[in-house]
Amino acid sequence: MSLDLSAKTTAELKALLSNAEAVLAGANTKLHARAEEFRAAAEAALASRRVAPPGQRAEPDPALDAAVARIKAVAAEALKTFDLTPETAKARGITTPHALLASNGAPKTGGGVRTKKFRRCPYISYRGPGGIAMLQYAVPPGEGAEGFWSGGLVAVGSAESKTGFDAAMEPDAAVAAFLKALSELAPARS
């Protein structure tokens, strides 16, 4: 009998593997056959997900690295041009302002990565009274998939605001759409 563990998360698979090994280490030999079956199925499911061992990094992707560098440059330009502080956003009626970048200064990771819509999706965003200005570089799942740029204004609560854009744009057009959206949402620095 083969077990289908495809619906389990990585954490659940690791817990299942640990539990199976604990049963195998125990004295109750009646459970050993079933525990061995669970261990083999969990190991196979983890191997199929290509979970990297601790300390091992993914292969470098020059296109992704260039996209992240460009997103950071656009963020620096936006921070110089517009007042994107949380205080300003709150004064304009935004109860949960977005930071343009992640707390470590890097682009944020899109919700599309968590839902597996995209393999990688670095993005920047700013929430204003009229929506969310976003700029992203999304890499679809699958080996060899090429990433694409998109940017612009999305409605708060829309699918795009949660998982990112689906439409590909030229990089310069995406940046221009993002900066145009920012100009509609945020006051210019004086």
Side-chain angles (χ1 to χ4, degrees), residues 145-172:
E146 284 193 30
F148 64 90
W149 286 90
S150 52
L153 183 65
V154 297
V156 175
S158 68
E160 289 88 7
S161 72
K162 294 180 174 126
T163 62
F165 295 104
D166 288 326
M169 301 171 77
E170 290 296 320
D172 292 336

Side-chain angles (χ1 to χ4, degrees), residues 75-91:
E77 177 186 342
L79 288 168
K80 287 179 191 171
T81 308
F82 302 102
D83 183 357
L84 304 177
T85 61
E87 295 78 22
T88 301
K90 286 181 180 179

